Amino acid sequence: MKEKEFIQTIQSVLKSEYIGDDCAFLKDLSIVVTQDSLVEDVHFKMDFTTPYKLGWKSAMVNISDVCASGAKPVYLTAALSLPKSISNEFVEEFYKGMKDACGEVKIVGGDITGSDKIFISITAIGSTVSRNISSRKNAKIGQKIVVSGVHGSSAAGLCELLKGKRNSKFIEKHLMPRAKIKFSEKISMTEQNAYAMMDTSDGLMDALSQIAEASGVMAEVDFSKIPYDKDIEQFENYKELILYGGEDYELVATVDNPMGFVVIGEIKAGSGVVINYPQESVHYSKSDIENRLYNHFKEKM
């Protein structure tokens, strides 16, 4: 069973209006709330990272979810489950990394318990005051698809780590991502109409597919317009890394006013995702894309 199937099962039981986006938009409180977990040997290996970098990434991936909603990240709590062998120095460095990643975001609490491996669970809260909040259900035909940053670099870094390399610009992208706070702020404070936005935590194609599915539309993208680091072309499967490689934590949005943003495509009638390559156009269904995505319940690092 896949992660998305579990989510569908939970939704069928709860029938909650808040489940569906990466953040729950609590309009009556003017906040969004999100929670994410990192599990040792599933999401990270201590052989590949340091306590400081792990703390940084743990905070940043949750801040990214808040940014994907269009809200302003303001508060964060952290729950740690740690083996007996973990030292006080680990905890100190971990929280230093979190603190530096948070910047103006305040760490306001959490919990610590024992476990066999390292488990990290972060809750982040964002303010929606003066912001136009997104939903992946909001994509409309005719809207342009815009993105932040470059794509595929984090996946390239993971490939290098798995091959024994320990230091490169791609590895730093993987271990120390940066949430796109300014991109999120610009869209949520200038876009007047309803819009969809997600981060690329599970890959660019995943974000495009989920937006298309939730909105009942098709996303058409010109591959040549997707920004990426040209050095990634050294990898034989670099196109796969750009499209399916997760953990870049860039943002993808569908907007009516694309001025000042990088446009990679357009929302059209239909379903799924179409990628226009230089020599051909390929249509990918929801299942085509999901079969290529990383599955935490099947694969491990």
Side-chain angles (χ1 to χ4, degrees), residues 207-257:
L208 293 168
S209 177
Q210 291 206 52
I211 288 172
E213 173 74 12
S215 299
V217 296
M218 180 180 76
E220 183 171 352
V221 169
D222 186 340
F223 183 84
S224 66
K225 294 182 179 178
I226 300 172
Y228 65 90
D229 187 319
K230 296 302 179 184
D231 287 341
I232 203 175
E233 293 181 0
Q234 67 185 281
F235 294 85
E236 184 178 356
N237 64 334
Y238 78 94
K239 291 182 180 179
E240 292 285 309
L241 298 180
I242 292 167
L243 292 175
Y244 295 97
E247 300 198 37
D248 282 314
Y249 299 99
E250 300 294 344
L251 294 179
V252 183
T254 69
V255 298
D256 292 301
N257 177 20

Side-chain angles (χ1 to χ4, degrees), residues 1-18:
M1 182 175 283
K2 297 181 180 179
E3 177 185 359
K4 291 183 177 64
E5 292 174 357
F6 281 123
I7 294 172
Q8 289 172 358
T9 299
I10 294 168
Q11 173 67 313
S12 70
V13 173
L14 298 181
K15 295 178 172 58
S16 170
E17 63 184 288
Y18 301 107

Side-chain angles (χ1 to χ4, degrees), residues 120-134:
I120 304 158
S121 185
I122 306 290
T123 298
I125 298 172
S127 170
T128 68
V129 176
S130 301
R131 301 288 184 109
N132 182 8
I133 301 304
S134 75

